[in-house]
Amino acid sequence: MFCTNCGNQVPDGQGACNYCGTNFVDNSQQDSVYSNNYQSMQYQQPQYNTNNQQQYNPINQPQYQTATPVFKNPVEKYHITYMQDGMKWYLFLIWGYLIFEAISMLTNCFSMFKMASQFKDIRNMEEAELMSILCTITGILMIALGIYDIYTRHLLIEFKAKALTAVKIVFIAPIIWIAIFYFIIASILEVSMGQFFELMLQQESGGVLAISVVVYLAVAIGSIVYLGNRKNMFIY
């Protein structure tokens, strides 16, 4: 081997150089020392205080879903969209028309009961007895429709899926009964339906009646089509 200081060759295994006197260690011993020193160095993973830390668990993580807000009234529920989607007619139905119709039905039923009583007082007249029965049935139906108007309004406010069917019943049921009622009266008078309506239009209130029928049909058709186009709102 060679001296690491002066470069002269010295015998293998010798502990010092014969020329310069430099002491040196055997390579195998030096490698062993280096190996022992390396093994003695133990790398330790830093310890972190996890007492106040919550471990990540995908199952325990909150699901970021849109919460269903609680609203006090329909105006607040569709505060942003009702102007864009034409919700004014919806508000008209629940805060105007259905309330008015319910009150009208529940108050006018007494007029029908009064008319039934007047016809009933007429003796020896088969037509009067039939008219009394018709007026009584009409009064009962008015009460039922008035209550159903309130129920329909509740369904619309809560955006229930049944609201669309309920609205159709509210508008179509009175039309059917009025048609039956007028048909029976026309039969009693022994006139055709065309002649009967002609007689009604000739009365002083005939013009008002005609306008009322047209407005009612327009509101009925418009409401059914309007809510049908927005049926996705009624999902509860």
Side-chain angles (χ1 to χ4, degrees):
M1 68 181 203
F2 297 91
C3 178
T4 59
N5 183 38
C6 63
N8 292 317
Q9 187 174 4
V10 294
D12 294 336
Q14 189 169 326
C17 180
N18 295 331
Y19 301 96
C20 65
T22 300
N23 294 324
F24 48 83
V25 181
D26 182 67
N27 289 336
S28 62
Q29 295 179 358
Q30 186 175 7
D31 293 338
S32 177
V33 171
Y34 289 156
S35 177
N36 293 335
N37 290 338
Y38 177 79
Q39 292 178 1
S40 65
M41 297 172 61
Q42 297 181 357
Y43 178 79
Q44 296 182 354
Q45 177 73 22
Q47 301 296 322
Y48 299 97
N49 184 10
T50 60
N51 293 333
N52 297 326
Q53 295 181 357
Q54 183 178 3
Q55 295 183 352
Y56 177 81
N57 188 346
I59 299 179
N60 296 331
Q61 295 307 306
Q63 301 295 325
Y64 295 99
Q65 298 178 352
T66 303
T68 302
V70 178
F71 299 95
K72 296 180 180 179
N73 54 62
V75 179
E76 183 180 359
K77 183 165 187 176
Y78 280 89
H79 180 70
I80 298 176
T81 60
Y82 82 92
M83 290 293 290
Q84 299 175 354
D85 296 338
M87 294 297 291
K88 287 184 176 181
W89 189 261
Y90 164 81
L91 298 176
F92 163 73
L93 288 177
I94 62 175
W95 297 112
Y97 180 80
L98 289 175
I99 293 177
F100 171 78
E101 183 173 328
I103 295 175
S104 177
M105 290 290 181
L106 295 176
T107 54
N108 290 334
C109 67
F110 295 104
S111 298
M112 300 305 298
F113 290 141
K114 183 177 180 180
M115 290 178 60
S117 178
Q118 292 174 350
F119 280 114
K120 190 175 182 179
D121 291 338
I122 301 176
R123 302 295 181 181
N124 300 324
M125 187 175 178
E126 183 178 355
E127 293 80 359
E129 183 178 358
L130 182 58
M131 289 297 300
S132 176
I133 295 174
L134 283 177
C135 292
T136 302
I137 295 175
T138 303
I140 295 173
L141 289 177
M142 283 184 170
I143 295 175
L145 286 173
I147 296 174
Y148 198 77
D149 287 335
I150 299 173
Y151 172 69
T152 302
R153 180 178 179 273
H154 169 73
L155 294 179
L156 287 173
I157 290 176
E158 297 296 329
F159 296 95
K160 300 292 185 180
K162 298 178 180 179
L164 301 179
T165 303
V167 169
K168 293 178 181 179
I169 295 174
V170 164
F171 284 108
I172 295 176
I175 296 176
I176 295 175
W177 174 247
I178 290 174
I180 295 174
F181 184 84
Y182 285 163
F183 177 79
I184 294 176
I185 294 178
S187 299
I188 294 174
L189 297 176
E190 296 181 351
V191 295
S192 64
M193 290 292 293
Q195 293 174 340
F196 176 75
F197 284 116
E198 184 178 354
L199 291 173
M200 292 185 62
L201 293 175
Q202 291 176 356
Q203 303 297 322
E204 294 181 358
S205 59
V208 176
L209 178 62
I211 295 174
S212 300
V213 171
V214 173
V215 172
Y216 181 85
L217 291 176
V219 172
I221 296 172
S223 298
I224 293 173
V225 174
Y226 167 85
L227 294 176
N229 293 335
R230 291 162 178 79
K231 60 183 179 181
N232 292 333
M233 295 192 317
F234 304 95
I235 57 177
Y236 299 104

